[in-house]
């Protein structure tokens, strides 16, 4: 490729690339590599650019696929990369711009070729492409590193094995160690040991992207007819069962630091972005850019917050790609092999806070053979990054993992003063439920449910007042507590689910989150109180209509989400769900008036306004008797005041009457019920949900684009499993 300016469309005719993909054997110490790798590249930044890149390199890669089993040129390139990486790691100044440039370029070509192989061949063939070495023979061809002839042999090489869709236990290696292992070793070493600077930023990014590409053999296993890939995969055995497991705490610590730092990307690698799909940029101008561009002046999501969630996702990918990809790699490492043997998952969930003075507690491996010291990280910086990116789907999943299983993060959350910075973005996802996929809605709701398990938090959210909510467009609200906003948005999500989606897990988690908060409801906004009671009214009327239709009406006139032959059975199922939801709403209202009646005058007002609703439930639900007693008490007082005034009372007078009555009210007269407390419990075999979900996030939120039809098919097959 060289330093000459080029476009994607020119790649197919590039002489150096043609030579790399040809039948010519190129040994690792051939000067050819210095020529090939003397370029500065802008990798594809979108699926459209990836399509352009794929189209331009398709013919070359087809020749490579045919010739590499005889030439071993990919293995030679990997050896060149490992040599450059070793030199960079050993250099006194790991910020060496020339070494970083050459190492990056070699790695990009490796990733591009590996991605093509992942899409086209099973994993064991990918490993053989990396490991094959051309045999030397006597002749007139180029000389290899040993001084022998390296011309390709004339006889046809033995074909790669293709057992019935399954990889062998391990591919035949050319030495004591596979190049897959050597490559992964070099990638992890660079990520851990080379500091992130302007000169090494894109090298770090490329290392992470290459690991993701290698791990994506899991996503394409179904396309290639492989099952139980993780059990037979050399790549996964190397990462999870090999000696690299000992580096898990350091790798996890580095990836978390990348996410926490949220460093803005420098100008494109050694040069400014060129328009029109330009790939190759003059090296010298790039160096000048690197020198003159002030890192502190780069816009970030901290200095220039995005206006909406859609903009947030695109800006994180574009402006903070290292943080973005580090988050995705963390998720892939933590959500494969989800058991005690996954040292990456253990390190992530057992990490400790640098702000805490206690010494790290070593974690013993499941086999009891050794102890691994958990990484210590700046939890406050991580929390800040998670708050800034909480609207992104992959950040929501990482947030879920930390809240569910990381004690250090849970302790930090309990003491955070401005918890609204985390909760409000999650509420925005729920508010925009029709525009988000069901998985993101589900994970956002679980995050809120876990947060409401904290007794201190459900008190504090009612003390935090919010004054500007431009994204909440249903009604203008000048001021509302964070707790009130949580109830309002979750009620809206519940109503949307009951009317459109009818997902049992969603409405169960909605009700559980509100129930956890109900004993600490304080000064709920009038609109929140109104929505709570009006939802109860809407569902009561719907239940009555369904019962009326099933007793004697025409059930064919009903609008049901799933048409079936047995409509009556479907109606009965929906009535059963409505009964469950109505019962829970009654328990939530009862919990509120039993524990915080004096602090919720607007709830009492809303109850009095719809008093007729609860009369029909008092004989079916014991908690309804408590609510009826509250309504009766305040109705009597209002009647007396109104008779004394000789006219109807206005809103202000009614609230004043309720306030005075609340001061004289005693909750002892109500029947006692257990406090409403729900906890989220992860289902058995969570990997069946989380592993495919993570790969869908790598595809949709990441900076590596599988733009081919095979990639879309692979992801579809994976999610359908």
């Amino acid at each position: 490729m060289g330093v000459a300016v080029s476009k994607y469309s020119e790649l197919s005719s590039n002489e150096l690339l043609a030579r790399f993909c040809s039948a010519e054997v190129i040994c690792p110490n051939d000067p050819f590599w210095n020529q090939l790798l003397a370029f500065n590249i802008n990798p594809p930044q979108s699926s459209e650019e990836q399509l352009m890149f794929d189209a331009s390199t398709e013919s070359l890669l087809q020749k490579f696929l045919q010739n590499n089993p005889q030439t071993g040129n990919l293995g030679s390139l990997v050896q060149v990369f490992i040599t450059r990486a070793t030199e960079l790691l050993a250099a006194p100044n790991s910020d060496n711009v020339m070494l970083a440039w050459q190492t990056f370029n070699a790695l990009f070509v490796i990733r591009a070729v590996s991605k093509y192989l992942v899409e086209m061949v099973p994993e064991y063939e990918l490993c053989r492409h990396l490991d094959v070495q051309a045999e030397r023979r006597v002749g007139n061809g180029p000389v290899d590193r040993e001084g022998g002839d390296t011309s390709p042999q004339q006889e046809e090489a033995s074909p790669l094995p293709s057992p019935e869709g399954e990889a062998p236990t391990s591919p035949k290696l050319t030495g004591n160690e596979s190049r897959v292992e050597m490559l992964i070793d070099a990638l992890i070493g660079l990520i851990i040991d080379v500091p992130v600077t302007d000169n090494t930023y894109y090298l770090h990014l490329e290392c992470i992207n290459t690991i993701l590409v290698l791990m994506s053999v899991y996503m394409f296993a179904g396309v290639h007819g492989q099952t139980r890939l993780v059990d037979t995969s050399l790549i996964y055995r190397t990462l999870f069962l090999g000696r690299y497991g000992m580096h898990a705490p350091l790798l996890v610590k580095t990836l978390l630091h990348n996410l926490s730092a949220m460093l803005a990307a420098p100008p494109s690698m050694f040069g400014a972005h060129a328009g029109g799909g330009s790939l190759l940029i003059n090296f010298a101008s790039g160096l000048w850019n690197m020198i003159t561009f002030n890192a502190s002046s780069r816009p970030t999501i901290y200095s220039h917050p995005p206006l909406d969630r859609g903009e947030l996702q695109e800006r994180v990918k574009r402006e903070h790609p290292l943080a973005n990809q580090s988050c995705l790699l963390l998720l892939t490492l933590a959500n494969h092999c989800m058991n005690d043997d996954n040292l990456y998952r253990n390190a992530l969930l057992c990490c400790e806070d640098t702000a805490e003075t206690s010494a790290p507690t070593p974690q013993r491996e499941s086999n009891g053979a050794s102890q691994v010291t958990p990484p210590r990280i700046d939890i406050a910086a991580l929390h800040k990054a998670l708050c800034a990116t909480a609207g992104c789907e992959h950040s929501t999943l990482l947030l879920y993992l930390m809240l569910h299983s990381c004690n250090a993060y849970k302790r930090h959350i309990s003491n955070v003063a401005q918890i609204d910075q985390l909760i409000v973005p999650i509420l925005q996802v729920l508010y925009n439920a029709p525009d988000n996929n069901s998985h993101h809605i589900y994970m956002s709701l679980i995050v809120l449910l876990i947060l409401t398990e904290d007794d201190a938090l459900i008190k504090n959210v009612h003390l935090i007042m919010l004054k500007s909510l431009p994204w909440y467009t249903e009604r203008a609200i000048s001021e509302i507590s964070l707790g009130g906003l949580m109830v309002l948005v979750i009620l809206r999500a519940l109503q949307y689910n009951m009317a459109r989606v009818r997902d049992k897990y969603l409405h169960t988690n909605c009700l559980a989150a509100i129930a956890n908060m109900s004993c600490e409801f304080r000064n709920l906004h009038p609109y929140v109180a109104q929505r709570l009671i009006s939802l109860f009214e809407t569902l009561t009327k719907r239940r009555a209509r369904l019962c009326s239709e099933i007793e004697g009406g025409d059930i064919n006139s009903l609008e049901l989400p799933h048409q079936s032959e047995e409509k009556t059975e479907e109606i009965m199922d929906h009535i059963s769900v409505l009964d469950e939801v109505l019962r829970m709403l009654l328990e939530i209202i009862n919990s509120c008036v039993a524990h915080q009646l004096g602090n919720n005058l607007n709830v009492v007002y809303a109850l009095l306004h719809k008093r007729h609703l609860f009369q029909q439930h008092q004989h079916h639900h014991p908690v309804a008797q408590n609510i009826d007693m509250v309504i009766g008490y305040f109705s009597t007082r209002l009647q007396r005041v109104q008779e004394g005034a000789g006219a109807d009372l206005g809103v202000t007078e009614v609230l004043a009457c309720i306030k005075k009555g609340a001061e004289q009210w005693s909750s002892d007269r109500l029947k006692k019920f257990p406090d409403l407390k729900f906890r989220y419990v992860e289902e058995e075999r969570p990997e069946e949900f989380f592993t495919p979900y993570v790969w869908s996030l790598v595809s949709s939120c990441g900076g590596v684009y599988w733009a081919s039809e095979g990639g879309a098919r692979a992801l579809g097959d994976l999610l359908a499993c």
Side-chain angles (χ1 to χ4, degrees):
M1 289 194 274
V3 296
V5 175
S6 178
K7 298 181 182 295
Y8 288 155
S9 58
E10 299 172 358
L11 290 175
S12 59
S13 59
N14 186 280
E15 294 181 1
L16 294 173
L17 286 177
R19 185 179 169 192
F20 170 71
C21 298
S22 72
E24 178 185 352
V25 176
I26 308 173
C27 63
N29 61 354
D30 194 300
F32 163 82
W33 300 111
N34 291 331
Q35 295 176 295
L36 176 70
L37 302 178
F39 66 88
N40 191 356
I41 193 166
N42 284 329
Q45 299 296 312
S46 66
S47 57
E48 291 77 16
E49 289 187 11
Q50 185 67 54
L51 279 172
M52 293 170 57
F53 184 86
D54 289 348
S56 300
T57 56
E58 177 69 21
S59 60
L60 287 169
L61 288 171
Q62 287 177 356
K63 293 178 181 178
F64 166 86
L65 188 62
Q66 176 183 355
N67 293 321
N68 189 72
Q70 289 80 46
T71 65
N73 286 344
L74 177 59
S76 295
L77 176 57
V78 170
Q79 195 62 50
V80 170
F81 163 72
I82 291 173
T83 299
R84 297 290 193 276
T86 302
E87 293 172 354
L88 185 63
L89 288 167
N93 176 19
S94 60
D95 200 26
N96 185 305
V97 64
M98 183 63 69
L99 269 177
W101 174 54
Q102 293 178 337
T103 308
F104 168 86
N105 289 346
L107 188 54
F108 174 78
V109 178
I110 292 171
R111 173 165 73 92
V113 174
S114 298
K115 175 181 169 294
Y116 177 78
L117 291 173
V118 166
E119 294 179 332
M120 298 301 295
V121 302
E123 188 237 18
Y124 59 87
E125 289 196 24
L126 164 64
C127 295
R128 285 183 177 271
H129 273 281
L130 286 164
D131 281 317
V132 68
Q133 289 181 335
E135 296 181 10
R136 292 175 296 158
R137 70 174 181 87
V138 177
N140 298 321
V143 179
D144 72 358
R145 78 185 82 174
E146 301 293 334
D149 189 285
T150 59
S151 293
Q153 299 185 38
Q154 299 302 312
E155 56 268 40
E156 185 174 348
S158 59
L160 295 171
S162 55
E164 300 175 359
E166 282 300 320
T169 302
S170 63
K172 181 180 178 181
L173 307 181
T174 56
N176 294 329
E177 186 177 34
S178 165
R179 278 209 183 93
V180 170
E181 297 174 282
M182 297 167 63
L183 176 59
I184 291 175
D185 190 28
L187 292 172
I188 293 177
L190 289 173
I191 293 172
I192 291 175
D193 294 326
V194 174
V196 178
T197 67
D198 279 359
N199 292 335
T200 63
Y201 185 100
Y202 287 99
L203 175 59
H204 275 266
L205 181 61
E206 199 59 35
C207 287
I208 291 170
N209 286 342
T210 303
I211 294 178
L212 285 171
V213 165
L214 293 175
M215 293 184 73
S216 72
V217 295
Y218 175 89
M219 188 167 68
F220 287 85
V223 172
H224 302 309
Q226 295 176 285
T227 59
R228 300 179 67 245
L229 175 72
V230 173
D231 296 334
T232 61
S233 165
L234 175 60
I235 292 170
Y236 277 82
R237 292 205 316 274
T238 300
L239 281 167
F240 289 91
L241 300 179
R243 67 176 183 270
Y244 309 101
M246 69 169 54
H247 299 306
L250 279 176
L251 180 57
V252 168
K253 179 178 180 177
T254 303
L255 294 175
L256 285 172
H257 176 74
N258 290 346
L259 175 59
S260 303
M262 200 61 68
L263 292 177
S268 62
M269 187 65 176
F270 304 105
H273 288 285
S278 176
L279 175 69
L280 308 174
I281 303 164
N282 185 272
F283 177 48
S285 71
L287 287 177
W288 178 251
N289 241 314
M290 300 293 288
I291 294 170
T292 60
F293 197 85
N294 185 355
S296 63
S297 67
R298 299 170 194 156
T300 70
I301 57 173
Y302 293 148
S303 61
H304 299 79
L307 299 176
D308 55 53
R309 196 182 65 81
E311 180 189 350
L312 169 65
Q313 178 64 66
E314 289 306 312
R315 284 188 55 190
V316 171
K317 287 172 63 175
R318 183 178 69 252
E319 298 174 9
H320 306 276
L322 184 59
N324 192 70
Q325 297 303 103
S326 294
C327 179
L328 289 169
L329 181 55
L330 272 172
L331 291 174
T332 54
L333 291 171
N335 286 284
H336 276 283
C337 311
M338 293 174 64
N339 53 46
D340 293 338
D341 294 326
N342 185 333
L343 297 182
Y344 303 99
R345 186 178 182 88
N346 292 343
L348 174 65
L349 302 182
C350 296
C351 66
E352 300 187 5
D353 192 354
T354 54
E356 296 178 346
T357 56
S358 59
T361 305
Q363 302 292 318
R364 185 172 295 278
E365 295 184 29
S366 58
N367 59 15
S370 61
Q371 289 185 330
V372 177
T373 301
R376 290 177 66 85
I377 63 171
D378 186 345
I379 293 287
L382 175 62
H383 176 71
K384 181 181 179 182
L386 289 175
C387 289
T389 60
C392 298
E393 193 168 357
H394 53 307
S395 292
T396 303
L397 180 55
L398 180 59
L399 176 60
Y400 158 78
L401 283 174
M402 302 301 287
L403 282 172
H404 183 253
S405 303
C406 180
N407 290 328
Y409 188 70
K410 287 191 282 189
R411 288 194 298 271
H412 180 81
I413 283 290
S414 296
N415 298 316
V416 168
Q418 295 177 313
I419 194 63
D420 56 299
Q421 295 178 356
L422 178 65
I423 292 178
V424 170
I426 300 296
L427 293 177
Q428 284 183 263
V429 173
L430 282 183
Y431 183 80
N432 296 308
D435 301 326
N436 295 305
N437 67 67
S438 58
H439 287 346
H440 196 188
I441 297 168
Y442 184 65
M443 296 312 304
S444 299
L445 193 52
I446 292 176
V447 165
L448 291 177
L449 174 56
I450 295 173
L451 288 171
T452 62
E453 295 171 9
D454 189 317
D455 291 336
L457 185 143
I458 61 175
K459 292 181 180 179
N460 293 338
V461 292
H462 292 286
L463 304 177
I464 300 174
M465 302 305 296
L466 307 174
K467 294 184 179 296
S468 178
L469 299 170
W471 53 270
Y472 193 93
T473 58
E474 284 191 358
R475 174 169 175 160
I477 301 177
S478 59
E479 186 177 57
I480 189 173
S481 69
L482 175 60
L485 182 64
M486 291 172 68
V487 176
L488 186 59
V489 173
I490 297 174
L491 283 173
R492 185 178 184 272
L494 173 60
Q495 188 162 8
Y496 172 79
N497 180 62
M498 294 297 296
R500 304 280 186 87
V501 185
R502 307 231 180 131
D503 184 318
K504 180 179 180 181
Y505 290 104
L506 279 177
H507 79 244
T508 298
N509 287 322
C510 283
L511 290 167
I514 299 174
N516 282 347
M517 299 175 65
S518 60
C519 64
E520 293 295 341
F521 284 172
R522 295 173 186 270
N523 302 315
L524 289 183
H525 191 280
Y527 183 56
V528 180
Q530 173 193 329
R531 287 297 298 266
L532 176 61
I533 305 305
S534 66
L535 175 59
F536 185 83
E537 179 183 28
T538 299
L539 299 182
T540 298
K541 289 180 177 179
R542 180 162 180 79
R543 184 190 185 282
R545 184 167 69 89
L546 289 174
C547 290
S548 175
E549 294 286 353
I550 205 170
E551 288 172 2
D554 180 11
I555 64 172
N556 291 315
S557 65
L558 296 177
E559 293 182 3
L560 298 172
H562 309 291
Q563 297 298 328
S564 64
E565 294 181 3
E566 299 293 337
K567 289 188 176 182
T568 300
E569 182 179 348
E570 186 174 357
I571 295 172
M572 292 302 297
D573 289 341
H574 189 41
I575 290 175
S576 177
V577 171
L578 285 170
D579 284 339
E580 177 187 351
V581 175
L582 288 169
R583 177 185 58 80
M584 277 297 300
L585 288 174
L586 283 172
E587 292 187 7
I588 288 168
I589 296 169
N590 174 71
S591 176
C592 171
V593 297
H595 292 91
Q596 299 292 339
L597 185 144
N599 292 318
N600 285 288
L601 306 185
N602 291 319
V603 173
V604 176
Y605 184 97
L607 285 172
L608 293 173
H609 187 64
K610 299 289 184 179
R611 69 189 74 178
H612 62 280
L613 282 175
F614 300 91
Q615 295 174 353
Q616 56 188 295
H617 292 279
Q618 60 179 312
H619 300 299
H620 304 286
H621 303 287
V623 293
Q625 298 175 10
N626 280 354
I627 298 172
D628 187 64
M629 186 177 296
V630 171
I631 292 174
Y633 170 79
F634 284 98
S635 294
T636 302
R637 294 186 64 90
L638 280 174
Q639 186 176 1
R640 288 203 303 264
V641 172
Q642 186 167 323
E643 290 174 352
D648 292 339
L649 302 178
V651 174
T652 304
E653 290 82 6
V654 171
L655 286 173
C657 180
I658 293 174
K659 181 179 180 181
K660 188 171 183 180
E663 293 171 354
Q664 301 173 11
W665 166 262
S666 173
S667 60
D668 293 339
R669 66 185 75 184
L670 298 179
K671 185 177 180 179
K672 303 301 180 184
F673 292 94
D675 288 345
L676 297 179
K677 285 297 177 184
F678 296 89
R679 291 197 172 274
Y680 170 75
V681 178
E682 200 169 71
E683 294 188 6
E684 294 183 5
R685 302 181 64 84
E687 65 276 4
E688 293 182 358
F689 169 79
F690 285 108
T691 305
Y693 180 40
V694 164
W695 280 107
S696 73
L697 296 179
V698 172
S699 180
S700 63
C701 303
V704 178
Y705 300 94
W706 286 272
S708 66
E709 292 181 4
R713 185 171 72 254
L715 188 57
D717 292 345
L718 190 62
L719 292 174
C721 293

